[in-house]
Amino acid sequence: MTLDCDVAVVGAGPAGSRTARNLARAGLRVRLLEEHRAVGVPSHCSGLISPRTLREAEIGEEAIIHRLAGAFVHTEAGSEVALGGGDTRAVAIDRVRWDETLCDQAQAAGAELVRARVTGVEREDHRVRLHTQCDGREASFTARLVVGGDGSHSRVARTLGLAGPPEKVYCLGVEGKLRPARDARTGVPRGDDFVHVFVGQDLAPGWFGWIIPTGEGRVRAGIGCRPGHKPIACYRRLTDRFPGLFADIEPCRFYGGTIPLGFAPRSYGDNVLLVGDAAGQVKPFSGGGIYTGLVAARHAAAAALSAFAADDLSARALSRYERDWKREIGRELRRSLRLRRVGLALGDAHVERVVRALSASGGLQSLAVRHGDIDYPSRVLLRLARSAPALALLASVTLRRPGAALNLLRAHLPFAV
Ligand SMILES: Cc1cc2nc3c(=O)[nH]c(=O)nc-3n(C[C@H](O)[C@H](O)[C@H](O)COP(=O)(O)OP(=O)(O)OC[C@H]3O[C@@H](n4cnc5c(N)ncnc54)[C@H](O)[C@@H]3O)c2cc1C
């Protein structure tokens, strides 16, 4: 069977649905393919986003299920610092409804949602042929452009020979209910508008653990780690290490998930674009990819539309996409990646000192509060580095030579704190 369309978007996640909407709105024949029966199900996400993301998604405040004002950062050794307070810094969303809403927007603009798994894509005379499978039935059709919005294990990228993001973090997520009277039992002073973040290389090698209150006595918790470690084992260690925070969480659902880190070497090719996790458009500090995926989707659709207008879907014509999305978010993602590497290479003893320094200094904390932004974390981290005299050079060196920055930090940190 051959059913032609202008654009086949693979994956009805945020990045795919948004690209599909913008292209359909401009009058292209768009087919949006999703392998799961229900869009957004099962969710593999904690659903924490910035208020800015709501604006980018053009979704109103009705999507918010809980507002968060700050974060406690806990080290393995037991230090803790509270950052934030006051204004809403982030919001928790119902991730399933979020994906449904974005997909509804795409369909309302004219995109056709097709429930099928794409099993492969091949190039064919200035077009691509997509092979699909649904309820055991196989089919294929052609499109002039395929957009891979199919997540961190992108089949579109793999079958068209595009390399994926260089690094991956494996996560275990937990949705849970809080048993009552937890504050009374633990004595830890905290409201339910603060996230908890847990750092430590033995606890969460290469990543971190988290608890996100989502209102009405519910939480989303989890942990990530680099390959070679088991997220479930890390989660057990985390709950043992912080019984006061985890003992009262009654798990209702466990899920796994993969976070890609670092950009795919190329997010475009002849007749193909990659968006969202498939292209590694993810924040390297938090793994958050909803905002960045939506931004990239806006650029993907704009580049595709100008390629269609010029009747040229070659890699050269589509290369504008990579230039445009990198111009908007590439610098932040690159900087955060470097700062993350410096942080990891420092080791727990130094991270411990940084957390202690932060908790002892009202000035540093208020700087963090003033400039904290979950979509652009490098800005506040660099400000913090610049504000500590012995780290004055660190910020600029980090941007150019992470190795040198690390040596500098090792040499000066004991005096800085
Ligand atoms: C544990 C965890 C917690 C996270 N928490 C947050 C958070 O709090 N905030 C945040 O911003 N980000 C978070 N993220 C990251 C966020 O979930 C992703 O960055 C985001 O979902 C990427 O969107 P996407 O559209 O690129 O891909 P996805 O959301 O992964 O969507 C891809 C879609 O493609 C479909 N698909 C895949 N292959 C095929 C195929 N062959 N054929 C048809 N359909 C296919 C999938 O079913 C899916 O619907 C988290 C990730 C993990 C793992």
Side-chain angles (χ1 to χ4, degrees):
M1 181 173 56
T2 298
L3 295 168
D4 294 319
C5 61
D6 295 319
V7 186
V9 179
V10 183
S17 287
R18 176 43 52 94
T19 313
R21 186 204 69 166
N22 288 5
L23 292 173
R25 203 184 239 181
L28 292 181
R29 288 172 304 155
V30 179
R31 186 163 298 166
L32 176 58
L33 296 112
E34 172 53 50
E35 65 180 347
H36 289 114
R37 274 187 190 287
V39 166
V41 181
S43 164
H44 302 273
C45 177
S46 306
L48 190 74
I49 59 170
S50 62
R52 180 189 291 112
T53 310
L54 291 170
R55 295 193 290 276
E56 182 68 42
E58 298 165 43
I59 294 180
E61 299 220 332
E62 66 278 4
I64 300 174
I65 59 170
H66 198 59
R67 293 172 191 272
L68 285 313
F72 287 100
V73 179
H74 305 263
T75 66
E76 193 161 358
S79 295
E80 157 180 327
V81 61
L83 300 171
D87 297 344
T88 297
R89 306 270 156 176
V91 297
I93 53 167
D94 177 336
R95 177 61 203 266
V96 174
R97 278 190 49 204
W98 179 264
D99 283 21
E100 282 169 357
T101 306
L102 288 165
C103 183
D104 288 348
Q105 289 178 354
Q107 288 179 275
E112 178 197 3
L113 177 65
V114 176
R115 313 279 169 169
R117 166 176 293 159
V118 171
T119 53
V121 189
E122 54 191 338
R123 284 206 182 77
E124 199 176 75
D125 282 344
H126 303 295
R127 303 194 137 233
V128 278
R129 177 167 291 278
L130 286 93
H131 299 278
T132 64
Q133 217 173 49
C134 180
D135 295 333
R137 284 197 311 278
E138 301 198 341
S140 83
F141 66 93
T142 63
R144 291 195 66 199
L145 175 70
V146 60
V147 177
D150 50 345
S152 52
H153 302 282
S154 171
R155 193 175 281 261
V156 172
R158 245 179 1 217
T159 58
L160 285 175
L162 291 169
E167 210 185 327
K168 288 198 163 93
V169 166
Y170 297 102
C171 300
L172 173 79
V174 180
E175 285 175 2
K177 282 196 290 206
L178 283 177
R179 296 185 186 99
R182 86 194 149 119
D183 280 354
R185 186 184 317 179
T186 62
V188 180
R190 57 187 189 277
D192 80 339
D193 60 349
F194 265 57
V195 169
H196 293 266
V197 175
F198 306 89
V199 294
Q201 289 312 301
D202 287 336
L203 220 51
W207 204 241
F208 58 87
W210 65 89
I211 300 175
I212 301 172
T214 54
E216 297 178 358
R218 296 193 163 262
V219 293
R220 293 175 189 151
I223 198 160
C225 54
R226 62 166 73 93
H229 299 267
K230 292 200 171 90
I232 181 75
C234 294
Y235 187 73
R236 279 201 200 105
R237 274 203 301 278
L238 181 66
T239 57
D240 289 348
R241 176 65 192 81
F242 294 94
L245 289 166
F246 283 92
D248 295 329
I249 298 177
E250 189 185 315
C252 306
R253 183 175 87 92
F254 289 92
Y255 57 90
T258 306
I259 293 175
L261 291 177
F263 309 147
R266 241 170 66 160
S267 56
Y268 65 93
D270 289 324
N271 310 88
V272 58
L273 295 175
L274 300 178
V275 281
D277 278 18
Q281 291 151 343
V282 170
K283 292 178 276 178
F285 265 112
S286 62
I290 300 176
Y291 173 69
T292 42
L294 288 170
V295 168
R298 169 162 44 80
H299 291 297
L305 287 175
S306 68
F308 270 97
D311 196 25
D312 179 2
L313 278 296
S314 68
R316 198 187 49 76
L318 292 168
S319 65
R320 165 193 156 177
Y321 162 56
E322 184 150 310
R323 201 183 58 230
D324 291 351
W325 73 258
K326 283 192 173 168
R327 189 173 290 148
E328 185 166 347
I329 51 173
R331 187 167 125 114
E332 168 62 30
L333 298 185
R334 258 193 310 271
R335 274 184 171 183
S336 287
L337 206 56
R338 286 184 192 157
L339 284 164
R340 173 184 134 78
R341 284 195 191 122
V342 170
L344 283 178
L346 275 176
D348 284 356
H350 284 93
V351 171
E352 177 69 26
R353 287 194 182 110
V354 171
V355 169
R356 278 202 215 139
L358 276 170
S359 70
S361 163
L364 289 181
Q365 276 183 47
S366 62
L367 194 91
V369 172
R370 259 200 325 279
H371 299 286
D373 183 334
I374 65 166
D375 293 328
Y376 295 89
S378 80
R379 292 178 185 168
V380 69
L381 288 166
L382 290 171
R383 270 178 199 271
L384 285 170
R386 283 188 189 115
S387 74
L391 301 180
L393 274 176
L394 175 71
S396 57
V397 180
T398 300
L399 301 180
R400 290 191 295 272
R401 291 170 36 221
L406 184 59
N407 290 336
L408 194 68
L409 196 53
R410 280 204 178 112
H412 289 290
L413 198 57
F415 307 109
V417 297

